[in-house]
Amino acid sequence: MLPRQPFLGLALAAGSGILLADFFPVSRAAWLLIGFGFLLSALAACRWPHLISTYAVVAFGFFLLHAFQIEETPGKHLAVRLGERMRPLTAIGAVVSEPKVAPNEFATFLFKLKSLELEGRTESTSATWLVRWRGAPEFGDELKLFGIAEPIAPPRNPGEFDMRSYLARQDVRRELFVRYSEDGVLLRHGGGNPILRAAQRSRAWMQRAICRGLDDAPDVQTFLSGIVLGLRHQTPEDIEEPFQQTGTLHLFAVAGLHVGIVARLLWMLGVVAQLPRKWATALIIPLVLFYAAVTGLHVSSVRAAVMSSVLMGAFFFERRPFVLNSLAAAAFFILSWDTNQLFSTGFQLSFAVVGAIVLLADLPFDFLRRITAPDAFLPPALVRGPRYWLHVVVDWISRGASVSFAAFIGSLPLIWWYFYLFTPVSLVANLVVVPIAFFVLAIALLSILSAVFLPWLSVIFNNANWCLARIVIGCVHFFAQLPGGHYYVAHPHWPAKDRAHVTVLDVGTGAAVHLRSGGDWLLDCGNERDYERVLRAYLHAAGVNRLDGVLLSHGDSLHIGGAAALLEEFPRLRLIDNPAPDRSTVHQRLRAVCEQRRIRIDSPVAGESLSFTREIIGKCLHPPAGFVSPSTDDQASVLQITVAESAKVLYVSDSGYLTENALLASGENLRSDILIKGQHRSGNSGSEQFLDAVRPQLIIATSRDFPQHERISDEWAERVQARGIKLFRQDETGAVELRFRPHDWEARAYVTGETFRSATR
């Protein structure tokens, strides 16, 4: 089997060498020894040809190749020279990726540097940076930009996408922020790779062609652009997420289905033109590769294009093609181009799914075909009419179900690991949606072909696709809403004796605290942007499929702005709101939504108890009944929470001196182990008298440089330290995770990894 499918062993050897180089990096001094081993392996392979020696050469070679790609990089060298602080500088270079324009009009793109002007001196470099600029760049443009260079920020909360690690795999280690459009100057157009530039211009023309006549249906336009041309970044979240939840998001990744249709149509054109097989193959292969470039050279499209090229190349050389060998060849060539692709989600998903289909799809299909096949003793010639067509339909369904099952098995561990999702509904959803998507792709390609000569025919094809696109979107939304169709599942962890888990998320100057102990509660939920960007991703990563309730501390939009979106996703949760009147328009709109949906709102006042879960009991300390204050921060709810009978947590939100003095005058026992606090709009909170009454071991406090009152003063931080209190300021620590056990508790900072344990005090 291996001699007939040589790329299978080569790809496995290449992957092994890359993994060894990545997990066991070696110093430059050891490269000479490894290079000597590589040379000996190569000589042995030449002198005594054998599969083992060949694979050893390949493994050594890819070990060295990956070691060079992750160590000897211009981006890494430049990052070391610049250090970790922000640096104002001028950069000259070229745009090497398609700019993506955000709603705030900032374009984000990769920028390959030619030179830097820093502190009066100019130096040459070939590093690539991520740039954000309020301009209108195009691929290949050569620009001169003045901005602030800074390290790419790591994720600050569990569940956040790690952009820093993702870009580091591409040797992108700095971000250049260009605040104003006039801080960038266009030096010249038309630079960059001419093939990629032509591909991007072709994609823009194709997008206009498949969207012609659909101006009144923007959702269909973005759907078609994503499914046909791989423009996934243009797809709104409300359209993309149901595809993810039903396991059909692969439709937006240009892959085998897309490339297969393109190759089939080109082959049909070759047949109509009466081209010889070899001439047709020689014409189709570069066109298929160009289509991969048009769709952005994503791993799935490159894999499909290389696989198709290898398979068609077998016809060209009159050899028998093997699908598994073609798949391995695609992996080998992609890893030869960039060894870091082995660690990308797209590479792993693409090859895992196709590999599972190749290896597993025939087993369930053979089983289903034996069950549904006609009587074995009945001659095939007698199977006619409705019975024949019934057999054809059942056979087609069996094949589709087998492929869907194999793809589900292949993608299951990766979807769970990267997206925290388990999607049993995908088995049915793919069976329904993929055949319709096949016709969508075919009609879109016909629209592109006819747009050149018969624009009116292209519009007819587009309107047909409008209907099919509506059917696909409707089906996906239906499957996404089925109970039990998808679950969010947290990553596995070692069994612990924790009785409760509290996570204080870092959402800037707002707040969002997750309480978990046999149930899930939130204290505040951040603003609308933070809910979508931070809290929602965190809840999915934590495996939260049902939320018991949320408590809103006060009317500040930075604390409750995400509540409306939260109620959309968790419509049956219990809502506890601050009863004090305020002038917050966000708060008023939220109450109107609750009244419209007939959502019951509880409004506890000082002295009332709250039962969150069996292990987490709260008591409201502020505001008292009838309390009114001109400042929203002074109306904030203050809760003292007893967690697992082992610790008390005081949550004061954005309270200031006025609230603290009221709490001191109330006579309540404020003694708590942990104080969670924000910053009052006056900048004054955490008075000496209040800290004397609370006597916390740990303070978790929000802090930001802007505006000034949201930053913890150095003087206050020094006073806290002088008291022997541990301070976790979230501008440094990010989220803070608290674990409570029967007799002690510990706090861990997400960004720094610093751990504070109550037992060590």
Side-chain angles (χ1 to χ4, degrees):
M1 179 178 179
L2 287 177
R4 298 174 63 188
Q5 303 195 60
F7 277 108
L8 185 59
L10 294 176
L12 292 175
S16 300
I18 294 169
L19 288 173
L20 285 173
D22 201 80
F23 289 107
F24 302 100
V26 295
S27 63
R28 294 186 184 181
W31 287 2
L32 182 62
L33 181 62
I34 298 171
F36 183 69
F38 173 71
L39 181 61
L40 289 180
S41 301
L43 292 174
C46 294
R47 178 65 180 84
W48 300 286
H50 194 272
L51 283 177
I52 295 178
S53 58
T54 302
Y55 294 155
V57 169
V58 172
F60 268 119
F62 274 86
F63 184 100
L64 288 172
L65 179 62
H66 187 62
F68 276 109
Q69 287 198 4
I70 62 177
E71 292 295 333
E72 294 296 314
T73 64
K76 196 170 187 179
H77 290 320
L78 182 59
V80 171
R81 289 203 303 272
L82 293 179
E84 291 297 312
R85 63 188 180 92
M86 295 187 296
R87 308 287 290 270
L89 50 79
T90 299
I92 297 176
V95 180
V96 293
S97 71
E98 182 184 7
K100 299 176 181 178
V101 182
N104 60 6
E105 298 182 353
F106 272 93
T108 303
F109 52 91
L110 296 181
F111 191 63
K112 190 172 183 61
L113 301 173
K114 291 184 179 179
S115 65
L116 289 177
E117 297 176 12
L118 175 65
E119 297 177 350
R121 65 181 188 275
T122 302
E123 61 177 288
S124 298
T125 179
S126 58
T128 301
W129 283 0
L130 180 71
V131 172
R132 288 192 298 138
W133 175 41
R134 196 188 292 270
E138 297 179 3
F139 176 83
D141 284 354
E142 188 172 326
L143 305 172
K144 182 177 182 180
L145 302 172
F146 172 76
I148 304 296
E150 57 186 347
I152 297 170
R156 305 187 61 82
N157 297 277
E160 275 189 56
F161 178 67
D162 191 352
M163 180 64 75
R164 184 189 184 110
S165 297
Y166 170 75
L167 291 175
R169 287 289 180 187
Q170 304 175 51
D171 195 33
V172 179
R173 302 176 186 274
R174 283 295 181 273
E175 177 181 355
L176 182 65
F177 178 62
V178 185
R179 183 177 297 275
Y180 304 108
S181 59
E182 55 267 25
D183 288 336
V185 178
L186 174 66
L187 300 181
R188 71 181 183 96
H189 275 304
N193 188 302
I195 296 177
L196 293 180
R197 191 167 64 250
Q200 294 208 7
R201 290 177 179 175
S202 299
R203 178 168 57 182
W205 178 84
M206 291 178 184
Q207 185 179 18
R208 290 193 297 271
I210 63 176
C211 295
R212 185 178 293 131
L214 303 177
D215 297 334
D216 58 341
D219 55 339
V220 173
Q221 289 187 29
T222 55
F223 171 77
L224 292 176
S225 299
I227 196 174
V228 178
L229 301 173
L231 295 172
R232 180 179 165 187
H233 66 276
Q234 296 184 5
T235 308
E237 179 72 21
D238 58 344
I239 293 180
E240 181 178 318
E241 186 179 33
F243 282 87
Q244 186 182 76
Q245 293 171 341
T246 56
T248 55
L249 189 61
H250 61 87
L251 294 176
F252 291 92
V254 175
L257 178 66
H258 307 68
V259 174
I261 293 175
V262 172
R264 180 66 63 87
L265 287 175
L266 292 173
W267 187 267
M268 290 171 60
L269 291 175
V271 171
V272 171
Q274 297 183 345
L275 291 176
R277 177 188 290 187
K278 289 189 176 182
W279 282 101
T281 302
L283 179 65
I284 292 172
I285 288 177
L287 290 176
V288 165
L289 294 173
F290 184 72
Y291 176 66
V294 166
T295 56
L297 286 179
H298 299 296
V299 173
S300 57
S301 62
V302 173
R303 186 264 307 156
V306 173
M307 279 188 67
S308 300
S309 300
V310 173
L311 288 171
M312 288 186 288
F315 290 121
F316 187 86
F317 293 104
E318 298 181 353
R319 297 292 183 92
R320 182 182 177 187
F322 292 93
V323 177
L324 193 59
N325 186 61
S326 301
L327 179 65
F332 184 82
F333 292 138
I334 291 174
L335 293 177
S336 300
W337 168 49
D338 181 9
T339 57
N340 278 305
Q341 289 293 335
L342 182 64
F343 305 96
S344 73
T345 308
F347 180 94
Q348 296 171 14
L349 274 171
S350 180
F351 283 92
V353 169
V354 177
I357 291 173
V358 173
L359 296 173
L360 303 178
D362 287 340
L363 297 176
F365 177 64
D366 292 340
F367 173 75
L368 293 173
R369 187 167 56 178
R370 284 196 302 269
I371 295 176
T372 60
D375 191 339
F377 294 99
L378 184 66
L382 297 180
V383 182
R384 299 178 178 177
R387 189 170 184 179
Y388 169 79
W389 289 109
L390 178 63
H391 173 66
V392 170
V393 171
V394 171
D395 193 69
W396 177 81
I397 293 175
S398 300
R399 170 59 72 181
S402 302
V403 171
S404 180
F405 175 76
F408 173 75
I409 295 299
S411 64
L412 178 61
L414 295 171
I415 293 293
W416 165 56
W417 184 258
Y418 289 115
F419 303 107
Y420 312 97
L421 260 177
F422 175 61
T423 57
V425 75
S426 65
L427 292 169
V428 180
N430 277 290
L431 195 59
V432 174
V433 171
V434 169
I436 306 174
F438 176 88
F439 288 103
V440 171
L441 287 168
I443 292 173
L445 293 176
L446 290 174
S447 172
I448 292 172
L449 292 174
S450 61
V452 180
F453 306 105
L454 301 170
W456 60 268
L457 183 59
S458 176
V459 174
I460 293 176
F461 283 133
N462 292 343
N463 279 277
N465 253 350
W466 175 88
C467 180
L468 293 177
R470 288 292 187 196
I471 293 174
V472 170
I473 295 173
C475 289
V476 168
H477 277 82
F478 170 76
F479 286 120
Q481 294 172 5
L482 287 178
H486 67 276
Y487 298 94
Y488 290 99
V489 184
H491 287 168
H493 53 272
W494 291 106
K497 296 181 180 180
D498 300 342
R499 294 177 63 180
H501 188 193
V502 176
T503 303
V504 185
L505 295 172
D506 177 24
V507 288
T509 57
V513 181
H514 177 216
L515 312 177
R516 165 169 278 187
S517 177
D520 294 280
W521 275 80
L522 289 176
L523 306 180
D524 289 328
C525 54
N527 62 22
E528 186 174 4
R529 179 174 177 270
D530 286 331
Y531 174 76
E532 295 293 339
R533 182 178 58 89
V534 176
L535 179 57
R536 197 161 179 267
Y538 163 78
L539 293 175
H540 292 170
V544 177
N545 295 285
R546 179 182 179 275
L547 199 59
D548 295 293
V550 59
L551 183 145
L552 305 178
S553 64
H554 63 303
D556 187 348
S557 64
L558 297 175
H559 289 248
I560 70 169
L566 182 72
L567 290 173
E568 286 285 346
E569 187 161 357
F570 302 97
R572 298 179 182 177
L573 58 76
R574 180 185 172 193
L575 182 61
I576 300 178
D577 194 13
N578 190 318
D582 56 40
R583 294 175 294 178
S584 169
T585 56
V586 173
H587 206 175
Q588 293 169 7
R589 286 198 301 267
L590 177 62
R591 287 177 174 172
V593 169
C594 293
E595 183 177 353
Q596 182 181 4
R597 298 182 185 177
R598 298 181 179 179
I599 297 175
R600 178 187 170 186
I601 301 177
D602 294 330
S603 301
V605 295
E608 295 186 18
S609 296
L610 299 169
S611 178
F612 296 109
T613 69
R614 188 180 63 180
E615 299 285 356
I616 302 177
I617 306 298
K619 182 179 180 181
C620 182
L621 303 183
H622 187 81
F627 181 82
V628 177
S629 173
S631 171
T632 303
D633 285 356
D634 292 325
Q635 298 179 154
S637 296
V638 175
L639 301 175
Q640 189 175 53
I641 304 170
T642 303
V643 183
E645 300 180 356
S646 62
K648 288 188 177 182
V649 178
L650 188 64
Y651 180 67
V652 299
S653 190
D654 288 348
S655 299
Y657 284 169
L658 182 63
T659 300
E660 292 174 1
N661 292 335
L663 291 172
L664 293 171
S666 68
E668 292 280 358
N669 181 6
L670 302 179
R671 175 73 176 89
S672 301
D673 301 278
I674 303 167
L675 173 63
I676 302 175
K677 67 182 294 294
Q679 307 301 321
H680 191 268
R681 63 193 303 268
S682 67
N684 298 318
S685 61
S687 66
E688 297 286 341
Q689 297 82 359
F690 186 68
L691 293 179
D692 286 337
V694 179
R695 289 183 292 166
Q697 298 182 43
L698 170 69
I699 296 178
I700 303 171
T702 63
S703 181
R704 283 297 183 272
D705 289 337
F706 182 82
Q708 181 63 35
H709 68 265
E710 295 288 355
R711 177 178 173 81
I712 292 175
S713 68
D714 295 336
E715 180 185 357
W716 185 84
E718 290 172 0
R719 291 203 308 268
V720 168
Q721 185 177 4
R723 289 172 170 268
I725 302 172
K726 182 63 179 178
L727 174 62
F728 276 0
R729 46 187 299 168
Q730 292 194 280
D731 55 347
E732 298 175 353
T733 66
V736 178
E737 298 174 282
L738 299 163
R739 298 182 180 275
F740 297 87
R741 291 178 284 271
H743 304 293
D744 63 348
W745 53 269
E746 71 174 28
R748 180 181 177 275
Y750 184 76
V751 172
T752 64
E754 182 182 2
T755 301
F756 176 81
R757 295 181 176 89
S758 62
T760 61
R761 180 175 169 79

